[in-house]
Amino acid sequence: MVTARKRMRFGLVVLFITLVITALLGIAAFIGFETANRKTNELNQSIAKIRELSAVASQLQQKGQTNEANQFLNIAGLVLQDKINNPKLKEALLDSSLVLGYQYLVAQKNEGNKTNDLKNAEIDFKKILPELSEIENKIENNPNNLATLVYINYVKGKLEEDSNNANALADYKKAFKYISSLESPKLKSNLDLFTLDLNILYNGNADIVALLYRQLKRLDGSNPVYDQSLKKHFLNELDYLMQQQRWRQADFKTWQFLLYSAGRIHSYLDLTDIRNFKCDNLKKLDVLWVNNSNGHFGYSVQKKIYLASGNSLDFDWEKGMFKNWNEEKYNDFTKRVGWKGEDGEWTRFEELPMNLVKGKDGEWTRYKELPMNLGEDGYRTSRRREKISRISRKGELPEGVLMGAVKAIEYISLLQRLVNCNR
């Protein structure tokens, strides 16, 4: 199953890190006598921290925090591969990642709840902070270094929040400055942020950029730039995921964007949220879905199918109801877009029977977990006739009703809102 495969990949990465550490220890034994003490001590310190970070990642993986676990395994691997040339910057990255890792493992952030591991990690991180300004002034402003400085200053801000929000805000702003430097002119496109060689900010990891913008908005809500930056980041992320054909992830992120834009902290939208939803945000979402799927997905695509099924979008916002609601025609629409089967049953993931197909690796996979390809409903098969991906129906995504994010009437009113936005 998918979870088993993720654990297997995670285990392989841990094994790789262990083998590299073993090789480095062997190399350390042959370092010249004159520099042996200094270099061996530095290497041993780094290796000890990498092992500790890998252990933190394993604990997070066991708790189901896969993205956070990936983040720290990624950092451990990048340090071993010498992606960061400056040894002090490398040390600061390891120390900061251990602080953040132990914070993730602590359920509630308060002094009385801190573990000894977290306290020791904070002490080590604070020791190197006086050197950070000197490091920042000397290192080359390449994408790897800038991404590392975003990460370190974000963690520094998280640490400062324990005692001084003003200092935390200053650190977050410094991290924001490095993101701005990273995005322009270092990156050809804002989508390049998601494919950095030194990838510690996004893509299978905890999304540090989004977390940073949220902290800035929380501490400095009067400045609109952070809200705008987060929305832009969400849209860039959606564009990237769709270009990578990662439709299910894009569907989930779409709802994150909708909820954030509506100012909701819960996982649903009501009619008031939809009625007041900004047209610009809704239209941008629709354009991304339509353009990246060549007209296969999107709200406007769903709207056409909905109307072609004989339904009406004539909605009375004051009464909160459609004037000409027809349950039978609505059900016809849900079948056309693949939300319901021919038997009229919803195909929500958690409601699916063990409808499994076999993938490339021989693992059985739920139908809904298969990668989605554009086309008519069915399967795409390999030469060996293994069912390796499912074919989506036109208009199947976005899929808010099936995610439980909205009720049917709220979702369709979102399509009606799009009609008003386009007038």
Side-chain angles (χ1 to χ4, degrees):
M1 298 261 272
V2 169
T3 302
R5 290 201 298 275
K6 286 182 178 177
R7 287 177 179 168
M8 184 178 295
R9 286 195 295 268
F10 187 89
L12 290 173
V13 175
V14 172
L15 177 61
F16 167 76
I17 291 173
T18 303
L19 291 173
V20 174
I21 287 174
T22 303
L24 287 174
L25 287 172
I27 293 170
F30 294 96
I31 293 177
F33 180 77
E34 298 154 355
T35 58
N37 287 336
R38 179 174 59 82
K39 287 189 175 293
T40 301
N41 285 339
E42 289 177 358
L43 184 59
N44 285 338
Q45 286 176 3
S46 290
I47 288 173
K49 289 177 180 177
I50 291 168
R51 279 177 167 161
E52 186 178 359
L53 194 58
S54 298
V56 169
S58 294
Q59 292 178 63
L60 288 166
Q61 176 73 12
Q62 290 169 12
K63 292 179 66 175
Q65 295 175 257
T66 303
N67 288 344
E68 289 79 5
N70 286 340
Q71 177 188 129
F72 302 121
L73 274 188
N74 194 9
I75 290 173
L78 292 168
V79 171
L80 285 172
Q81 295 172 53
D82 277 334
K83 295 287 186 180
I84 305 167
N85 296 323
N86 186 290
K88 288 295 182 182
L89 190 62
K90 188 184 299 184
E91 183 181 351
L93 176 61
L94 282 172
D95 288 339
S96 62
S97 58
L98 282 169
V99 169
L100 192 57
Y102 285 123
Q103 284 184 352
Y104 285 149
L105 287 172
V106 174
Q108 294 180 346
K109 188 182 174 185
N110 58 68
E111 192 65 32
N113 201 35
K114 285 185 180 179
T115 62
N116 288 331
D117 288 329
L118 176 54
K119 291 177 183 177
N120 291 333
E122 290 179 356
I123 290 171
D124 287 342
F125 185 42
K126 288 176 181 178
K127 283 179 181 177
I128 202 171
L129 287 180
E131 302 179 60
L132 189 59
S133 296
E134 184 179 347
I135 295 171
E136 291 172 323
N137 292 331
K138 289 184 177 179
I139 63 173
E140 181 185 352
N141 283 338
N142 61 45
N144 282 356
N145 290 340
L146 289 170
T148 304
L149 289 171
V150 170
Y151 188 93
I152 292 171
N153 280 284
Y154 167 75
V155 178
K156 187 168 180 279
K158 289 274 289 178
L159 193 56
E160 289 283 7
E161 280 196 62
D162 285 346
S163 56
N164 192 313
N165 279 347
N167 288 345
L169 180 58
D171 291 324
Y172 290 142
K173 284 184 176 180
K174 186 178 285 189
F176 180 77
K177 180 191 76 173
Y178 286 124
I179 286 182
S180 301
S181 298
L182 176 62
E183 289 181 340
S184 179
K186 298 293 185 298
L187 304 179
K188 296 178 182 178
S189 163
N190 286 334
L191 299 192
D192 292 343
L193 177 66
F194 306 110
T195 58
L196 288 175
D197 186 33
L198 190 142
N199 180 25
I200 58 177
L201 301 179
Y202 176 76
N203 201 6
N205 308 321
D207 190 345
I208 297 298
V209 178
L211 292 171
L212 171 64
Y213 288 148
R214 286 182 184 275
Q215 294 296 85
L216 282 164
K217 186 173 182 290
R218 184 176 67 81
L219 294 176
D220 190 17
S222 61
N223 190 337
V225 69
Y226 306 127
D227 179 63
Q228 294 166 4
S229 296
L230 181 53
K231 287 181 180 178
K232 179 183 175 184
H233 177 70
F234 274 137
L235 292 170
N236 285 337
E237 179 183 12
L238 277 167
D239 199 7
Y240 166 72
L241 289 171
M242 291 177 191
Q243 289 187 25
Q244 294 292 309
Q245 305 271 304
R246 291 156 64 177
W247 301 110
R248 286 293 174 198
Q249 287 173 274
D251 191 30
F252 176 73
K253 293 291 183 178
T254 292
W255 278 105
Q256 283 192 327
F257 178 79
L258 285 171
L259 292 168
Y260 175 79
S261 299
R264 301 291 292 186
I265 58 174
H266 303 295
S267 58
Y268 61 87
L269 297 174
D270 59 26
L271 287 174
T272 302
D273 296 325
I274 295 169
R275 184 177 189 179
N276 296 329
F277 203 86
K278 292 183 179 178
C279 285
D280 185 53
N281 291 337
L282 187 57
K283 290 166 76 172
K284 283 178 179 177
L285 274 179
D286 187 50
V287 167
L288 284 175
W289 277 104
V290 173
N291 289 352
N292 281 304
S293 67
N294 293 319
H296 195 77
F297 295 138
Y299 297 115
S300 56
V301 175
Q302 291 172 344
K303 182 200 72 176
K304 291 177 182 177
I305 298 171
Y306 181 79
L307 293 174
S309 302
N311 292 284
S312 168
L313 281 172
D314 193 4
F315 190 73
D316 187 328
W317 288 99
E318 299 304 322
K319 293 182 180 179
M321 58 186 296
F322 284 93
K323 296 179 180 178
N324 299 299
W325 181 261
N326 186 302
E327 191 72 22
E328 183 179 345
K329 292 179 179 178
Y330 172 71
N331 285 331
D332 182 45
F333 160 72
T334 61
K335 291 176 184 177
R336 289 195 188 190
V337 296
W339 294 353
K340 280 187 178 182
E342 291 304 317
D343 57 0
E345 291 293 321
W346 290 99
T347 54
R348 271 180 76 163
F349 172 73
E350 59 267 29
E351 293 178 356
L352 284 174
M354 295 297 287
N355 185 12
L356 304 177
V357 294
K358 198 173 251 187
K360 290 180 180 178
D361 56 3
E363 291 277 347
W364 289 100
T365 308
R366 287 182 185 269
Y367 180 74
K368 278 291 221 182
E369 288 179 340
L370 289 169
M372 297 181 71
N373 290 278
L374 307 184
E376 296 303 319
D377 192 41
Y379 296 109
R380 181 171 65 86
T381 60
S382 68
R383 290 180 180 177
R384 293 187 298 171
R385 309 301 297 172
E386 291 174 327
K387 297 171 182 178
I388 58 176
S389 63
R390 60 170 301 235
I391 311 300
S392 63
R393 288 198 178 185
K394 190 168 186 176
E396 184 172 347
L397 299 178
E399 198 177 55
V401 175
L402 305 190
M403 291 177 66
V406 289
K407 298 175 183 176
I409 196 166
E410 275 90 358
Y411 192 86
I412 301 305
S413 66
L414 193 67
L415 305 185
Q416 202 278 343
R417 175 66 176 151
L418 184 64
V419 171
N420 288 344
C421 287
N422 286 329
R423 284 174 177 166

